[in-house]
Amino acid sequence: MCLRNNSGGLYFVKPFLTMNLKDSTQFPFWNFTLTLLFILTLPYLLQDGMFTDGVLYTAVSKNLANGLGSFWFPHFSDTMFLPFFHQQPPLTFGIQALFFKLFGNSIYCERFYSFFTLCVSAFLIHRIWRKVYEEEKEVRQISWLPVLLWIIIPVCYWAYSNNVEENTMGIFTLFSTLCMYKGLLQKNANSFFYLAAGSLLALMASLCKGFPGLFPVIIPFLHWLVFRSLSLKRMILFSFVTITTLLLAYALLLSNTDARTSLSAYLSDRVINSIKNVSTEDDRFYLIKQLLAELLVPFIVVALLSFYLKIKSVHVKAKTDDINRMLFFLLIGLSASVPLIVTLEQRRFYLVTSLPFYAISFA
């Protein structure tokens, strides 16, 4: 939609950002990126049928919305997962239940919820990019590029068409990363506010799908390791703030009897049991191989873009800061995906939470 202000300036209004067309040539690229995002997800969201896990989580959320079970003790059925559904922590079900309460029990409610998580995740990738390049206007404006490289990863658009837990967890990990990054750039007491907020968001990510949501707490160390713009003493202080905030929040949470009972059941029956007894693959490095296969698509796109620039005689020289940023987000992606090999219960959509950081690194 185009709007004209009183001074005659033309503006383009998008779901994710507003850009001044007088100063920017990026709107065609945003149009292409968003069109591709819709094409890759909406046709599947409008069809009947969904991946088994997505149906399972939808049923639990819908039950909760209709008064069957409670937040800490969600309910699936009278014959399975008794006495309550503790295969995952309950935050995703609680959030999705709100959508069912607001929009009713239609199958399109869970589809809308899944699409909502897609849009929020895309917006947060855009915001992280613009924060990283806050001082470089021209590069800041191409925030469509990491979004494009992210959505074309096959398991990514598949996940957002099938309502898996990683969709919700990814919102919190992206938001946590944004807060952490802001905190690391601050030169005053605001640093501690943003770092503490990032820790609390990581905790909320873990309440969606357990330990895999906690990786953002390592960001202060990774930033120091790559950029060395922080002193060792300040990095230790920042790490202390993030970890202490997380532990105190967990201690407060677990002081609630219902929360402690629910999360204890999840830890013993799901986490420990899956490490000891559940195996979906014989190869512990299955997910790493899947990750390389999934990242092949954005890699090819980046290679083609680079080749195009070369034949057009456009000389692009990466600065040290750009190389460090690439490495920084690559390490965040690895911290989100490599620990998943600790168990032989491995499915490729487990990688979804790490994919935005690889996309930013590639971009």
Side-chain angles (χ1 to χ4, degrees), residues 172-191:
F172 291 111
T173 54
L174 282 166
F175 199 4
S176 174
T177 299
L178 179 60
C179 287
M180 293 280 188
Y181 193 83
K182 283 185 175 182
L184 293 169
L185 299 182
Q186 299 292 321
K187 303 297 183 182
N188 50 39
N190 286 339
S191 292

Side-chain angles (χ1 to χ4, degrees), residues 120-263:
V120 175
S121 296
F123 173 76
L124 288 171
I125 293 170
H126 149 75
R127 290 302 305 167
I128 289 172
W129 180 270
R130 290 180 69 85
K131 186 62 184 178
V132 169
Y133 283 102
E134 192 170 29
E135 304 300 323
E136 301 178 46
K137 180 181 177 182
E138 292 177 347
V139 184
R140 186 176 72 242
Q141 289 180 338
I142 62 168
S143 56
W144 55 267
L145 182 57
V147 177
L148 173 65
L149 296 177
W150 166 70
I151 196 56
I152 62 175
I153 300 173
V155 74
C156 180
Y157 59 79
W158 177 91
Y160 287 98
S161 302
N162 285 280
N163 195 36
V164 296
E165 288 259 0
E166 283 74 11
N167 300 354
T168 307
M169 182 169 69
I171 291 177
F172 291 111
T173 54
L174 282 166
F175 199 4
S176 174
T177 299
L178 179 60
C179 287
M180 293 280 188
Y181 193 83
K182 283 185 175 182
L184 293 169
L185 299 182
Q186 299 292 321
K187 303 297 183 182
N188 50 39
N190 286 339
S191 292
F192 303 114
F193 169 78
Y194 282 114
L195 291 170
S199 287
L200 294 177
L201 287 162
L203 179 145
M204 295 178 76
S206 73
L207 291 178
C208 293
K209 204 174 180 183
F211 294 110
L214 294 176
F215 68 86
V217 298
I218 201 175
I219 287 177
F221 170 73
L222 295 179
H223 192 278
W224 171 83
L225 184 66
V226 173
F227 294 99
R228 297 301 172 101
S229 58
L230 301 173
S231 66
L232 176 62
K233 181 179 179 181
R234 193 162 179 81
M235 182 276 291
I236 293 174
L237 175 61
F238 284 172
S239 297
F240 176 79
V241 170
T242 58
I243 294 172
T244 301
T245 300
L246 180 69
L247 293 177
L248 288 175
Y250 256 118
L252 181 62
L253 181 67
L254 294 175
S255 66
N256 179 279
T257 303
D258 288 346
R260 187 169 61 252
T261 302
S262 177
L263 295 177

Side-chain angles (χ1 to χ4, degrees), residues 31-84:
N31 283 340
F32 174 77
T33 299
L34 297 180
T35 299
L36 188 60
L37 182 148
F38 297 149
I39 289 173
L40 290 173
T41 55
L42 282 180
Y44 301 99
L45 287 171
L46 295 175
Q47 295 176 10
D48 289 345
M50 186 179 284
F51 177 63
T52 306
D53 285 21
V55 175
L56 182 67
Y57 304 145
T58 296
V60 174
S61 302
K62 187 178 292 186
N63 284 341
L64 182 58
N66 290 304
L68 296 175
S70 63
F71 179 81
W72 290 113
F73 304 105
H75 174 79
F76 174 66
S77 77
D78 293 333
T79 57
M80 293 180 65
F81 303 116
L82 299 173
F84 56 91

Side-chain angles (χ1 to χ4, degrees), residues 270-281 283-285 287 338-347 350:
R270 174 64 173 174
V271 177
I272 296 176
N273 181 60
S274 68
I275 293 174
K276 289 182 176 181
N277 304 315
V278 180
S279 175
T280 59
E281 302 297 331
D283 184 359
R284 188 170 295 278
F285 295 97
L287 270 182
V338 173
L340 298 173
I341 68 175
V342 71
T343 172
L344 286 172
E345 184 183 8
Q346 301 187 13
R347 297 179 174 88
Y350 290 179

